[in-house]
Amino acid sequence: NPSVRIWQSAMWVPQLNRHRRIWVYVPPDYDQSSLGYPVRRSPVVYMHDAQNLFGRESGQPANWGVADTLDQRFARTNWGCIVIGIEHGSPTRLAEYSVVPNLTHGGGEGGAYLAFLTETLKPLVDATFRTRLEADQTAMIGSSMGGLISVYAALRRGNVFGKVAAFSPSLWWSDDVYALAAATPYNFVHKLVLLAGAQDSAEMLPDVLAMYYTLIDNGYFDQKIHLDFYQDGTHSEWFWGRELERALRWLFNDELPTMTDEPFAVFDETRREIQLLQPFVTANLLNGYGKIVCQLRGSDGDRMVIKPHWRGLFTLQCLLPNQRIELKKMML
C-alpha cells in the first residue's frame, strides 16, 4: 500500500528458534519511483527494541519518535533511509542482546542474534526493498542492552554493519567487550558513536569513557569514533530519540550537511595553561585517578592555569550551555 510507510510483519528466526515482529519504515519518496520518478536506493538502519521506536504506530507512550524525526530530516535535506526495527523478545531480551553470559543474569545468545541479522534478515531486506548494499550504507543503532549488542556488531560484523551508534550501552554486562575492543583492528570499524547521559546510572559515564579510551588506545581516531555526553541525559527513550538525528548526521556526514564540532580547548605548553575556546558552564580537570584537581566556571574566564607538578595524562571535562559534556584527553 503506497500510502503506508510503516508496517510490521512476523518472521521466524531459525537461529533463535522463535518468532519476531519486524517493523519497517521507508522514506517519504520511496514509492514515488513507481510514478515516473528516478529509482533511488536508500541506506538501511537496523534498530533494536522496535516496540519503542515509533510513536502512535507502536502504541508505546514512551518512544523514540523515529518516523517523525526522519520525516523532518527528509523535508529539510531530501535525505532518507529505510529503518528496520527488530522487536525485542521481552523475557529473552537480555539473552539475545548479550554475546557472553553474565554471572547473575545468564544470557549469551547475542552471537545467534547477530547471525540472524546478517544471514537471514539483511538478505531478505535487500531482496525486498531498494537498499544500498554497502557496509558504509548499512547502520545499526541500539540503546541500553541494544547498545551493547550494537558495539559487538561494530567490532565483530563491521564488514556488514559499517556504521553503528550505541546509546547508553550496558557495558557493565561483561568485560569481554573491552577485551574485544582492545583486540579488534581499527580498520575493521567504519564509524561508531558512543552516547551517554550524566543522569544515567553511576557506572554509565565511566564505562563509556573506558570503552572510548580502549578504542583510542587501539589506534582508532576521531573520524571513526565519536563520543557524546549530555548533562541532562537519562536512560530513556526521550533522550535517545532526541539524539537520533545528531547521530545519523555524524554517521552519514558524507551525505548529510556536516556538523562542525569546533575544538573547545587547547593546551598551551609554553604558558602551561588550557584555553577554553567555546562558551561553557563548568570545566573540570581530572587526573589519571578521576580526581578533580582544578575547576573553572564560565564566569571565571577562559583560561585554566596548570601547576608545574601536574604532568602526565589528564582529562578535561567541560559542560557546555546546551547540556553537552565534552571530554578531551590531554597530555600535560
Side-chain angles (χ1 to χ4, degrees), residues 115-133:
F116 160 65
L117 298 182
T118 56
E119 299 167 10
T120 301
L121 183 58
K122 187 178 187 300
L124 178 62
V125 169
D126 291 337
T128 305
F129 299 94
R130 295 188 299 274
T131 64
R132 298 284 300 272
L133 304 180

Side-chain angles (χ1 to χ4, degrees), residues 8-121:
Q8 58 177 295
S9 177
M11 70 178 296
W12 178 251
V13 182
Q15 292 86 348
L16 296 170
N17 197 33
R18 56 183 72 112
H19 283 90
R20 280 292 168 271
R21 286 188 304 167
I22 307 299
W23 294 74
V24 180
Y25 161 93
V26 295
D29 69 338
Y30 184 81
D31 292 293
Q32 291 181 359
S33 61
S34 63
L35 304 175
Y37 289 82
V39 173
R40 179 163 68 173
R41 293 187 174 272
S42 302
V44 184
V45 179
Y46 291 82
M47 301 183 70
H48 315 290
D49 295 314
Q51 297 96 319
N52 303 330
L53 300 181
F54 304 101
R56 55 187 177 277
E57 294 85 0
S58 65
Q60 293 282 359
N63 64 83
W64 293 44
V66 169
D68 291 340
T69 295
L70 292 178
D71 284 353
Q72 293 167 13
R73 165 54 48 185
F74 181 86
R76 291 194 297 270
T77 67
N78 200 37
W79 182 89
C81 65
I82 296 170
V83 174
I84 306 298
I86 304 97
E87 174 188 48
H88 68 69
S90 194
T92 60
R93 178 176 180 271
L94 296 182
E96 292 176 9
Y97 290 172
S98 58
V99 171
V100 297
N102 176 275
L103 293 177
T104 302
H105 303 285
E109 295 182 347
Y113 176 70
L114 288 178
F116 160 65
L117 298 182
T118 56
E119 299 167 10
T120 301
L121 183 58

Side-chain angles (χ1 to χ4, degrees), residues 92-325:
T92 60
R93 178 176 180 271
L94 296 182
E96 292 176 9
Y97 290 172
S98 58
V99 171
V100 297
N102 176 275
L103 293 177
T104 302
H105 303 285
E109 295 182 347
Y113 176 70
L114 288 178
F116 160 65
L117 298 182
T118 56
E119 299 167 10
T120 301
L121 183 58
K122 187 178 187 300
L124 178 62
V125 169
D126 291 337
T128 305
F129 299 94
R130 295 188 299 274
T131 64
R132 298 284 300 272
L133 304 180
E134 310 94 315
D136 65 357
Q137 295 297 316
T138 307
M140 178 183 289
I141 298 177
S143 62
S144 193
M145 287 296 293
L148 175 65
I149 195 65
S150 296
V151 172
Y152 273 105
L155 298 171
R156 287 188 167 185
R157 303 284 183 143
N159 61 323
V160 178
F161 303 101
K163 296 179 176 179
V164 171
F167 292 178
S168 304
S170 298
L171 299 172
W172 55 268
W173 184 269
S174 170
D175 288 340
D176 173 79
V177 69
Y178 293 102
L180 183 62
T184 302
Y186 73 87
N187 58 358
F188 193 61
V189 176
H190 290 262
K191 284 189 172 184
L192 173 64
V193 171
L194 295 172
L195 170 78
Q199 307 305 314
D200 207 309
S201 65
E203 298 81 14
M204 182 60 67
L205 293 180
D207 285 353
V208 171
L209 190 58
M211 173 57 66
Y212 175 75
Y213 285 157
T214 298
L215 293 169
I216 292 294
D217 291 343
N218 192 20
Y220 289 70
F221 44 91
D222 289 344
Q223 288 84 354
K224 281 186 173 285
I225 182 169
H226 183 75
L227 180 67
D228 259 341
F229 282 164
Y230 283 90
Q231 179 66 26
D232 64 344
T234 60
H235 204 83
S236 60
E237 280 74 20
W238 76 261
F239 173 52
W240 302 325
R242 188 189 74 180
E243 298 306 317
L244 173 63
E245 182 182 6
R246 180 177 175 85
L248 287 172
R249 287 176 62 193
W250 190 81
L251 291 174
F252 292 95
N253 63 6
D254 48 344
E255 301 179 26
L256 289 170
T258 57
M259 294 186 306
T260 56
D261 285 333
E262 298 294 334
F264 68 95
V266 294
F267 174 54
D268 186 330
E269 189 171 357
T270 302
R271 300 170 62 95
R272 288 203 60 79
E273 64 182 19
I274 295 174
Q275 181 179 3
L276 282 300
L277 304 177
Q278 295 184 22
F280 65 96
V281 180
T282 58
N284 296 323
L285 186 65
L286 286 68
N287 63 17
Y289 301 98
K291 179 182 178 181
I292 297 176
V293 296
C294 185
Q295 184 176 77
L296 194 68
R297 301 186 182 278
S299 58
D300 298 334
D302 61 358
R303 295 177 186 273
M304 182 180 289
V305 178
I306 305 303
K307 295 183 178 180
H309 63 279
W310 291 348
R311 294 189 178 273
L313 190 61
F314 286 71
T315 300
L316 182 67
Q317 181 186 67
C318 190
L319 174 61
L320 304 183
N322 66 355
Q323 294 294 297
R324 185 179 178 186
I325 300 174

